[in-house]
Amino acid sequence: MVPHSLLNTGSEEYTVTELSAAKLNRMAIMSTSFVLLLLLALCRFCTAAAVADNTDVSHPKTTPSTYIVHMAKSQMPASFEHHTHWYDSSLKSVSDSAEMLYTYTSAIHGFSTRLTPEQAASLSSQPGVLSVLPELKYELHTTRTPEFLGLGQTTETMPQSDSAGDVIIGVLDTGVWPESKSFDDTGFGPVPSSWNGTCESGTNFNSSNCNRKLIGARYFAKGYEATLGPIEESKESKSPRDDDGHGTHTATTAAGSFVPGASLLGYAPGTARGMAPRARIAAYKVCWVGGCFSSDILAAMDKAIDDNVNVLSMSLGGGNSDYFRDSVAMGAFSAMEKGILISCSAGNAGPSAYSLSNSAPWITTVGAGTLDRDFPAFVSLGNGKNFSGVSLYRGNSNSMPSALTPFIYAGNASNATSGNLCMMGTLSPQQVKGKIVMCDRGVNARVQKGAVVKAAGGLGMVLANTAANGEELVADAHLLPATSVGQRNSDVIKSYLFSDPNPTATILFEGTKVGVQPSPVVAAFSSRGPNSITADILKPDIVAPGVNILAGWSGAVGPTGLAIDARRVAFNIISGTSMSCPHVSGLAALLKGAHPEWSPAAIRSALMTTAYTAYKNGQKLQDVATGKPSTPFDHGAGHVDPISALNPGLVYDLTVDDYLNFLCALNYSASEISTLAKRSYTCDEKKRYSVRDLNYPSFAVNFEGRTTSTNVAKYTRTVTNVGPAGTYKATVTSDNPSVKISVEPNTLSFGQVNEKKAYTVTFSASGSAPVNANSFGRLEWSDGKHVVGSPIAMSWN
């Protein structure tokens, strides 16, 4: 799976994460062939494609690979006393030597093992075996945020609840750095009695590292080691300890305790806190130097369900596949059945359409937006012109001369065809020494480019966005004075570089600036819809802060993740949907604490229907990728608004049966449904199922584009009153007058809490429209106090 963050990456950073730089350095000890393969995988992260693990492609029929075996537990023969005995017998029928890596009881029913393709095919034909799926390898995809979201520096804006400290957030990631002050348990009561988990010991980690805040920590590496060999414990902790930083950052973003005086090298100073500072944290380490493997991820989800977490936060993702083949979707279905909300990152493959992952409707899929905070660093040229950029560089006063310094384009200081990218070994020290170097963004890590310039004797770096990145700026804690500039500024600066015989420049660092407008804007890297698996379900669900987010960090690695970075920081600033996901995880925990009786679907509905799609001045949310208003395919229901979500008025609730009916509407077979539901379930042949009837808080309408007749699509929804008695009236807006949208009834009256009312929306499109055309609208129900909004996306296919 891909951890959805993008610290220190190049033009492919929308898939390479803050893990990448650290990984690439640690992996230098590995064999050349393996490093090349892994580099290729890293460069393809932007596709967020999960790939089947084939250890030796030269002998695919004889080389064992890891498979996840899904069993119909209810079909276990009476001759077996326990399901594990049956599993073992089934496995031994195809292989005398194969052993089970994990057995799964909660996330799925089944086990994982190593088999040849022939053995896997043979096992799939055994009685009671639903499917045998190949292991999928995945790679991993704050001080200002609470104020920006209206939460303030205290919890006064949030209702106090005795259950707030009983909510447990499980975080599947790279582990945890328990010494972080964000895990301080001062003022916390006893560990919730509902907690069934534990604190596992291992390399550099023991049970005493947990406390009343960090109440549990586990690690899962059997799948990883089965494929890549034993973990090198001298270089990576075989324990829940986080040697990377990603897991600590996501966990503390979700639920970090209050930490006064937090900053990254003086940037973004203030009191750090997670979204749900009173919630408990349980860390599940599933990601290692070589990636995250689905057998380990499923094992962690299996344990998290048994441990009794309330929210699962997963800042990772992979390629899109049918839900009965998607390990995260399968585990998430079981978690949903147990009342656990699952929050996942949408991915960093934007702004391309159809680029998001984690699209199952029982998963809350989170995109990324910006904060109103920036870290300006200007490029001042010898011709007197200044250009804005961003940077988190913090060095001594002598590191960047205030006087103008010779300035050179990297492509003119290298004999390599890729010299403009400032890759390792490509710059000429004779041409670079004592100068500021302009490097193009792309391929290798952003901070690694700076390291290359520094190693060649350069004094500073200007990192230039290309067309692939546009105007999106991500700040980095560079190792030398450096700033990143957008494509438009880059083009003007390059024109100066190429035309002036003696170009000069300097970089001016302005620190931290707040109140930046417009904000939020949808991040260009944030993955977009439409939903490639189920077009009638709109994804992403929502966007949350995911750019330049400050949160806790590992003490084992510097802020760049580079091996040569000797700096150690308690907090780091990084970006990605990996960062937006735990924001929503924490906010879901807040809502769970305030409304313990709410289902995961009700919590998601509250977050979605109260999200905003316009600024206070009435202008629509912007997309940094286009400079134009964003659409529901970009922002889903809108940007999260936690204060409004506490009192949404109405919610769209869903039950397990609703999701089973949804699977029937997808024409899934009985065995495919059993793979997800872990029990026999047969769709009623007499019943007419429709994906459009899933009680989702948004509308994705798909018309036939080539027809000249009227297209009609009907959607039925049911809302539940969670507020006072009142009467709600419906209003609809649309940017396409050729589509008539009617709501029946258009008035709903509620006399008591938990009362339910149904309505139908009819979309009638007249005439033909261009294929692949899109239009957008919005349905709102309001009683004068609450506004319950649903996005509408209409497509002609």
Side-chain angles (χ1 to χ4, degrees), residues 528-549:
R528 315 301 172 98
N531 186 336
S532 63
I533 302 301
T534 311
D536 287 329
I537 300 296
L538 181 62
K539 290 284 184 171
D541 291 313
I542 203 164
V543 293
V547 178
N548 296 333
I549 304 301

Side-chain angles (χ1 to χ4, degrees), residues 51 220 305 482 506 723:
V51 295
F220 302 84
I305 293 169
T506 191

Side-chain angles (χ1 to χ4, degrees), residues 297-330:
I297 293 168
L298 269 176
M301 297 180 80
D302 204 64
K303 285 296 184 183
I305 293 169
D306 289 343
D307 290 347
N308 239 1
V309 303
N310 303 108
V311 176
L312 266 179
S313 186
M314 302 176 64
S315 290
L316 39 76
N320 285 315
S321 59
D322 289 320
Y323 307 128
F324 60 87
R325 295 182 178 276
D326 183 335
S327 294
V328 169
M330 287 185 280

Side-chain angles (χ1 to χ4, degrees), residues 537-726:
I537 300 296
L538 181 62
K539 290 284 184 171
D541 291 313
I542 203 164
V543 293
V547 178
N548 296 333
I549 304 301
L550 184 133
W553 196 245
S554 168
V557 65
T560 64
L562 294 171
I564 61 173
D565 190 352
R567 299 171 296 178
R568 293 296 179 265
V569 296
F571 293 86
N572 201 6
I573 295 174
I574 57 180
S575 300
T577 53
S578 272
M579 284 62 257
S580 54
C581 167
H583 276 87
V584 169
S585 305
L587 296 176
L590 281 180
L591 266 63
K592 184 68 175 178
H595 303 283
E597 74 283 3
W598 280 9
S599 69
I603 292 172
R604 176 180 57 195
S605 172
L607 290 168
M608 290 177 65
T609 60
T610 58
Y612 60 90
T613 58
Y615 304 112
K616 292 180 179 179
N617 63 8
Q619 297 296 309
K620 293 182 178 180
L621 290 186
Q622 297 293 297
D623 179 1
V624 73
T626 62
K628 299 177 181 179
S630 58
T631 76
F633 287 146
D634 308 320
H635 60 234
H639 192 281
V640 67
D641 181 358
I643 301 301
S644 297
L646 282 164
N647 183 19
L650 306 174
V651 296
Y652 294 81
D653 209 352
L654 283 161
T655 66
V656 176
D657 284 343
D658 292 325
Y659 288 118
L660 291 172
N661 289 338
F662 165 78
L663 298 178
C664 290
L666 295 179
N667 294 318
Y668 277 16
S669 67
S671 63
E672 290 167 349
I673 293 176
S674 296
T675 300
L676 285 155
K678 307 189 307 300
R679 62 181 184 274
S680 297
Y681 186 85
T682 302
C683 302
D684 187 347
E685 294 182 357
K686 298 178 181 179
K687 186 174 181 179
R688 188 175 180 179
Y689 297 96
S690 173
V691 172
R692 294 172 177 175
D693 289 338
L694 185 69
N695 201 39
Y696 217 70
S698 58
F699 298 88
V701 186
N702 290 275
F703 294 118
E704 172 60 51
R706 294 180 176 84
T707 183
T708 56
S709 60
T710 300
N711 270 301
V712 178
K714 291 189 176 183
Y715 291 71
T716 300
R717 293 291 189 267
T718 299
V719 286
T720 302
N721 182 38
V722 293

